[in-house]
Amino acid sequence: MEALLAKPVLMAMQPAHYPEVKEIYLQGIATNQATFETTAPDWEEWDAKHLAACRLVALQAGSVVGWAALTPVSGRCVYSGVAEVSVYVHAAHKGQGLGKTLLSRLVELSEAEGFWTLQAGIFEDNVASIKLHERTGFRVVGVRERLGQLHGQWRNVCLLERRSQKVGV
């Protein structure tokens, strides 16, 4: 019981964390509220898509209970300071502030790396995730209607962004 009450420790994600990261991602996929993806990639594919500099895990009692990472929005050099955020929390640890802790730390790391804009694409009906992002300085800049289909159903996606106050933009 004491281990469950311990505050999670944030650290840089390592390849050895990926099996637990993948499991948490699969939980998100199963909700049909987190992503258009329907399968989780293997480590090599995940690693290639995500920026190496800003990857976090939250560990509690030695287990990964949440993670956050950045992906580039474009390969063009003019967008080198713009990235998309991902944040996922294990189902058993939702509602405890862990998402906000991870996302806040991810923002700090991104600013230290020179990112001036972070963005998130969130399903319009995923109110909890939208509120989480708003609590960490993101704002809704628009809704992309019928952006894609998930299991044959069109989904609207809110585009949120957070502009850094520290990078001089």
Side-chain angles (χ1 to χ4, degrees):
M1 184 68 169
E2 223 173 270
L4 290 175
L5 299 176
K7 184 176 178 182
V9 174
L10 301 185
M11 66 176 291
M13 183 187 299
Q14 303 299 316
H17 294 131
Y18 189 68
E20 291 176 287
V21 166
K22 183 177 180 179
E23 180 57 38
I24 294 168
Y25 187 48
L26 287 168
Q27 289 176 3
I29 290 171
T31 68
N32 294 319
Q33 289 296 318
T35 180
F36 281 110
E37 300 297 332
T38 56
T39 61
D42 61 19
W43 166 251
E44 290 75 19
E45 183 181 349
W46 190 96
D47 183 45
K49 286 182 181 178
H50 291 80
L51 295 167
C54 298
R55 301 174 180 185
L56 290 171
V57 291
L59 298 175
Q60 191 169 48
S63 296
V64 176
V65 294
W67 63 272
L70 296 180
T71 54
V73 298
S74 174
R76 295 178 60 197
C77 64
V78 297
Y79 297 114
S80 63
V82 183
E84 184 166 354
V85 301
S86 293
V87 59
Y88 286 82
V89 174
H90 190 285
H93 297 271
K94 290 187 183 245
Q96 301 172 13
L98 183 55
K100 185 173 185 220
T101 299
L102 279 163
L103 192 51
S104 296
R105 182 67 182 134
L106 188 64
V107 166
E108 291 172 8
L109 289 173
S110 73
E111 289 178 339
E113 291 291 326
F115 288 90
W116 60 81
T117 300
L118 296 180
Q119 68 181 41
I122 303 172
F123 289 142
E124 186 176 41
D125 53 349
N126 189 346
V127 176
S129 185
I130 292 169
K131 288 186 183 300
L132 163 65
H133 284 75
E134 289 176 332
R135 284 193 303 270
T136 52
F138 287 75
R139 65 184 180 94
V140 175
V141 294
V143 176
R144 302 178 77 189
E145 295 179 356
R146 298 171 54 93
L147 184 62
Q149 289 188 25
L150 180 60
H151 305 301
Q153 184 177 35
W154 287 103
R155 302 296 296 269
N156 295 344
V157 175
C158 291
L159 178 62
L160 290 87
E161 77 170 14
R162 184 187 189 287
R163 301 297 300 257
S164 174
Q165 302 300 309
K166 296 182 180 179
V167 181
V169 180

